[in-house]
Amino acid sequence: MELVPGFTALLQPFASTMTTPTFQSFVTIATGWVLASRRMVTRMILAAGDSVNKHYSSYHRVFSAAKWSLDHVGLAMFDLIEPWIEGDVLLALDDTLARKRGLKMFGCGMHHDPLLSTRGKAVMNWGHSWVVLGVVLEFPFRPGHYYCLPILFRLYLNRAKATKHRRVYRTRPELAIEMLGALSSHRKDKRFHVVADSAYGGQSVLNHLPGNCDLTSRLLMDARLYDAPPPRKPGTNGRPRKRGQRLPTPAAMLEERCRRFVFNIYGRSETVRIADGEARVHKAPGRPLRVVAIEPLTGGRKPQAFYSTCHDASAGQVIAWYACRWSIEVTFHDSKQQLGFEQPQGWSRPAAERTAPVAMLFYSLIVVWFAQEGHRQYQPLDCPWYTFKAEPSFADMLATLRRQ
């Protein structure tokens, strides 16, 4: 079986990142990945109808032994997405857990499971922890909706596994900085803006951002904030001051007079009390930030604080940027449910580091294909009990591709 030529053409930029035989096998795997019900290599070559042209082990070697770089494929994916980008490149950064079984699988360890955990009890699970960087885009076929298209990936190893595999231990923020540096170096003429939750909003990321990259993230309500240091007077002894006068914390900002604001985010309107100002955090005194504190008046949410390195941005813009972060959570859900992100069972290091991320790369390809031509062939189901659905989901995009 073959996929529609428009989708196969999107795979051509990857040909420059691998040898011709490897790329031919990769195209077969891409076909099987879209059509198979379970994402095992043998299932995929059966679904693609190419089980006799090559020995099945040659398809396993695409992930376990072939000479190609996942970063190069991811950067080629960014080049494919770039024509859809207008202005600065908005990025989303987060990590996700891929549950696994087996003690000998490379990189598996006990990691926090956010789906099973509650506010009162943290649950750990066995699997891979992936740090993912994606491009956030709004496509013409669905105005007002943002998609996160993953491009770069890093497998996080906890201290025990890093020691076992004789690798230098690196935290998730350090892996995030590595990916941001690779992308920023790839397009030095572009301006990037990454949105991330509080796990990637600390000094380990804020103080090591590339020169052409900004950050919007969460902030603690009791964070220590400071003004800019005063000008140094001539003849003053000692080192120059790093911090200026102490400013109110985000919690204290909400205790003062605030203004009301209505946000249209997450598909609904929400009224909040809002206060904002320019400040510097204790661990990064040389970087001015736009700090925004909000107190929701509806919905029962607790007060929250955000910051952006774009210190001249408005409070509403900072909240709108951070709201775009949710698109990467939707990508994680769809990649696991529709493309089998957790299903590959390669146990060697190259196979473990390269197989699962391909599922998210195919997610990006399917969304781009749907934006180019798939939305013209989309036919919504005529269900009298489901009349309020107006826009296609990723499951609809995948079904449309399979029908072509």
Side-chain angles (χ1 to χ4, degrees):
M1 297 182 67
E2 294 183 359
L3 293 176
V4 63
F7 183 81
T8 306
L10 294 177
L11 297 173
Q12 294 305 314
F14 301 154
S16 62
T17 66
M18 53 188 73
T19 64
T20 299
T22 299
F23 178 69
Q24 293 173 349
S25 299
F26 185 81
V27 173
T28 301
I29 290 172
T31 304
W33 207 299
V34 172
L35 299 175
S37 59
R38 186 166 178 81
R39 274 69 181 195
M40 304 295 183
V41 173
T42 51
R43 293 284 188 91
M44 289 186 286
I45 59 178
L46 285 174
D50 198 24
S51 58
V52 296
N53 294 335
K54 287 185 178 181
H55 194 272
Y56 64 88
S57 63
S58 63
Y59 296 100
H60 285 278
R61 288 196 294 269
V62 171
F63 299 109
S64 63
K67 301 295 184 181
W68 59 277
S69 169
L70 186 63
D71 277 4
H72 292 166
V73 174
L75 294 177
M77 185 72 235
F78 176 80
D79 295 340
L80 189 65
I81 298 170
E82 193 172 6
W84 297 91
I85 301 173
E86 297 180 359
D88 295 348
V89 183
L90 186 61
L91 306 172
L93 175 66
D94 205 353
D95 55 83
T96 187
L97 174 66
R99 298 166 191 82
K100 299 289 183 180
R101 293 183 179 180
L103 297 177
K104 294 186 178 181
M105 187 176 296
F106 176 85
C108 279
M110 296 300 292
H111 303 284
H112 178 258
D113 191 332
L115 295 183
L116 300 180
S117 300
T118 63
R119 293 183 178 180
K121 182 178 180 181
V123 177
M124 307 291 285
N125 218 327
W126 182 261
H128 286 152
S129 179
W130 289 97
V131 184
V132 181
L133 181 67
V135 180
V136 179
L137 283 175
E138 179 185 9
F139 289 102
F141 74 89
R142 193 175 179 183
H145 184 84
Y146 291 90
Y147 292 91
C148 178
L149 307 184
I151 55 172
L152 293 177
F153 313 86
R154 289 293 185 274
L155 179 60
Y156 167 75
L157 303 181
N158 57 28
R159 291 185 182 275
K161 289 300 176 180
T163 302
K164 177 181 178 181
H165 297 299
R166 299 180 181 180
R167 300 183 68 183
V168 177
Y169 172 73
R170 291 184 295 173
T171 63
R172 292 184 180 91
E174 289 174 341
L175 297 175
I177 287 295
E178 182 179 323
M179 291 189 293
L180 289 173
L183 182 58
S184 299
S185 300
H186 180 64
R187 281 291 183 268
K188 296 181 180 180
D189 58 328
K190 285 284 187 179
R191 189 74 191 176
F192 298 93
H193 190 133
V194 59
V195 291
D197 59 15
S198 56
Y200 300 93
Q203 60 172 328
S204 54
V205 174
L206 182 59
N207 287 333
H208 299 89
L209 286 173
N212 58 338
C213 185
D214 289 303
L215 172 66
T216 297
S217 185
R218 293 280 297 270
L219 192 64
L220 294 175
M221 293 300 293
D222 59 349
R224 292 177 291 177
L225 302 179
Y226 298 87
D227 198 355
R232 184 177 175 85
K233 297 180 180 181
T236 304
N237 297 326
R239 67 168 179 82
R241 290 186 59 178
K242 292 184 177 181
R243 303 171 185 85
Q245 184 179 1
R246 181 76 178 267
L247 298 177
T249 64
M253 293 169 62
L254 292 174
E255 294 176 358
E256 301 175 358
R257 186 179 180 87
C258 301
R259 65 182 188 276
R260 290 196 176 193
F261 200 88
V262 179
F263 290 110
N264 293 314
I265 55 176
Y266 304 124
R268 64 178 185 271
S269 297
E270 189 166 333
T271 305
V272 300
R273 293 178 64 247
I274 188 168
D276 68 298
E278 184 177 323
R280 291 161 168 78
V281 294
H282 182 81
K283 292 295 185 178
R287 187 144 204 174
L289 308 174
R290 174 60 54 179
V291 177
V292 181
I294 65 170
E295 181 181 7
L297 300 178
T298 56
R301 295 172 180 261
K302 294 182 178 180
Q304 303 174 71
F306 308 88
Y307 76 83
S308 177
T309 56
C310 297
H311 58 90
D312 55 348
S314 65
Q317 185 63 69
V318 173
I319 301 301
W321 282 331
Y322 189 80
C324 293
R325 193 202 69 84
W326 185 252
S327 60
I328 196 172
E329 302 289 356
V330 178
T331 296
F332 291 159
H333 173 271
D334 291 339
S335 298
K336 293 177 182 180
Q337 296 294 323
Q338 305 297 333
L339 293 178
F341 177 74
E342 296 179 308
Q343 293 175 7
Q345 296 296 318
W347 59 268
S348 66
R349 174 181 171 182
E353 290 183 333
R354 297 194 291 192
T355 309
V358 170
M360 290 197 181
L361 289 174
F362 288 154
Y363 174 93
S364 301
L365 284 172
I366 292 171
V367 174
V368 171
W369 170 82
F370 193 85
Q372 284 184 349
E373 60 180 71
H375 66 280
R376 301 187 186 95
Q377 287 80 35
Y378 169 62
Q379 297 178 354
L381 295 176
D382 186 12
C383 301
W385 57 87
Y386 203 20
T387 58
F388 58 86
K389 181 178 179 179
E391 304 294 345
S393 64
F394 179 76
D396 296 325
M397 299 180 190
L398 185 59
T400 302
L401 178 59
R402 287 170 172 171
R403 286 196 297 264
Q404 299 306 308

